Every structure is written in structure tokens, then in C-alpha cells.
Amino acid sequence: MRTGMCNGFSPQQGSLRVVHATDRYAVVDKPAGLLSVPGKGEAGVDCVPVRVQGMFPAATGPLTVHRLDMDTSGLLVVGLDAGAQRELSMQFERREVQKAYVAVVDGVVACDSGTIEVPIRPDYANRPYQVVDRSHKRPAVTCYKVLGREGGCSRLELVPMTGRTHQLRIHCADPSCWGQPGESAGRVNGTGHPILGDVLYGPQPRTSLAAARLLLHACRLGFTEPGTGRRVEFESESPF
């Protein structure tokens, strides 16, 4: 475990890095702060598809297969032709893609590993927030493993078994996800384990002062290669 994890973190600003590419798809390492898809206004022009198109002028797209939150860094796969994009997108729909993240959370996580099975849904009156709702019928499942504990924080490996919006952030932050009573994520300064730097769901100013960015990184991505049927897996070292 790296030292000084709760004493402030300065992100290294970087460009979009190509991890692997064929004529059908590319795997890129997205820096924190870059949009996965185009946003609104002039500020939303710079995004992964625009940069990928510049790197691969022959790509016909549509490029986007899946997304990471703007504040999350790590691995994304993009389709460089329509067939590859469709095939990869269907793998995500069928939950055939293997994903893993590294996160640094506030507090000492007691169990070395476990599974969080807590449904979440949009907070319709307060978008873009999501909230825990145990009456909600769409499951949200995250497996976790503690990689280290230091300085009142824990480094976790997070494996989402479902792909709900903000799933990892809520499952870490909401006290009820760790078997403790509390209100919904984003509403409490409770005893959950919010990801450091999470300005949406972490109690302020604790989590934002502890890190200059969201300490969440997509570190592993595995899928079936379009066209060949070969299973491939890629890894990206956490920048924090």
C-alpha cells in the first residue's frame, strides 16, 4: 500500500493513452477529468471519442461502447467500426465483460472481502444523484477485497457485477451498504466508506480535502475480441 494516502493527493494530468489497438477496436487509458462521451457546450467538446477519432482517422464508429465517470480514470474499450462497437456493446449487456477497479476509501474496512447487494435508483428530484432504495427491484451488486489499510483509509479492489450509474461510489459511501443504519448516499455524514475525493457522495470537506481527485481507477478489463472470439484482458496500474 502506498504511503501518505490520506495526506493529500495531487493527480498527474495526462493524455489519453492507447493500451492496445487492432483494426477493429482500441483499449485506452482515460485520465481523470476527461469526458467519456461529448458533453454540453464548448467545455464538452473534448472527450474520449474525439481524441480516439484523431488517433485513428480511418475509424468509422460509432466508437463508444461503455463509459466511465468523468472523475474516474482507467481502461475503456472503443469500437473502431460499427460491427465491433455492436459486438462489444452486446457483451456489456450480457455481463460478459470482466471489470475491476481500485479505490481508496475513508475509514478502515473491517472485513477482508465481501459482497454488497444493495439496490440503487436515480434521485429523480436531485439529479445526477443516485440513492439506495431497497424496494427497488433492479439489483446492484459489488464484490470487494481489501488490498491494504493505512492512516485511517483502506485500499480496495472493487468488482461490479452489475453496471448501475454511480454504483461503486454509492456502495462505498452509504452506511447501509456496510450493514449499518443510515439515510441514502449523498444525504449523510455517516459511517460508510466514501471514496476519497468524491464530491457527490462523500461527506465534505473530509473526502475532498483528502484527495485532489476521485480515487477510483478502472484497473482491469477483459472481453472477447471482436472477430476472433479470443478472450483478452488488459491492466492499468493505479496512478494513486
Side-chain angles (χ1 to χ4, degrees):
M1 189 161 188
R2 302 186 182 185
T3 59
M5 61 156 42
C6 283
N7 295 325
F9 172 79
S10 297
Q12 297 295 320
Q13 297 296 335
S15 59
L16 187 70
R17 181 174 69 91
V18 177
V19 175
H20 180 79
T22 72
D23 59 347
R24 304 291 312 280
Y25 71 91
V27 176
V28 297
D29 199 339
K30 185 186 85 68
L34 179 65
L35 290 166
S36 293
V37 294
K40 295 180 179 180
E42 187 175 342
V45 172
D46 187 21
C47 61
V48 169
V50 168
R51 293 196 187 187
V52 169
Q53 189 70 65
M55 295 173 176
F56 301 92
T60 58
L63 300 168
T64 302
V65 173
H66 63 123
R67 307 181 185 188
L68 295 175
D69 288 348
M70 184 178 71
D71 297 330
T72 302
S73 58
L75 296 173
L76 280 171
V77 60
V78 295
L80 300 181
D81 63 68
Q85 189 271 347
R86 183 168 55 252
E87 187 175 335
L88 289 165
S89 295
M90 290 302 297
Q91 290 184 47
F92 276 89
E93 280 193 32
R94 295 191 298 263
R95 300 180 184 174
E96 297 172 353
V97 176
Q98 295 174 319
K99 298 177 287 182
Y101 295 73
V102 171
V104 179
V105 302
D106 193 19
V108 176
V109 175
C111 295
D112 290 338
S113 62
T115 301
I116 297 170
E117 299 184 59
V118 177
I120 59 179
R121 63 164 176 80
D123 183 349
Y124 300 108
N126 195 23
R127 293 181 182 274
Y129 284 96
Q130 309 289 310
V131 294
V132 164
D133 184 349
R134 293 180 182 276
S135 67
H136 199 51
K137 301 305 181 183
R138 297 180 67 191
V141 182
T142 301
C143 298
Y144 71 88
K145 178 172 66 175
V146 176
L147 302 177
R149 302 177 179 92
E150 182 182 335
C153 299
S154 302
R155 181 178 291 269
L156 305 180
E157 178 186 77
L158 301 172
V159 178
M161 308 306 293
T162 53
R164 308 302 178 205
T165 301
H166 295 173
Q167 175 178 315
L168 300 181
R169 297 167 74 167
I170 293 179
H171 276 178
C172 287
D174 196 290
S176 67
C177 295
W178 300 94
Q180 304 162 23
E183 299 175 40
S184 295
R187 295 286 193 275
V188 295
N189 295 331
T191 53
H193 297 290
I195 299 172
L196 295 184
D198 192 344
V199 298
L200 285 182
Y201 300 102
Q204 305 304 319
R206 164 65 179 165
T207 50
S208 58
L209 289 178
R213 57 154 287 190
L214 179 70
L215 297 192
L216 180 62
H217 179 76
C219 64
R220 192 162 65 249
L221 183 65
F223 54 88
T224 300
E225 195 172 53
T228 70
R230 181 170 65 101
R231 194 71 184 175
V232 292
E233 184 173 289
F234 303 94
E235 295 187 357
S236 169
E237 183 179 358
S238 168
F240 47 81

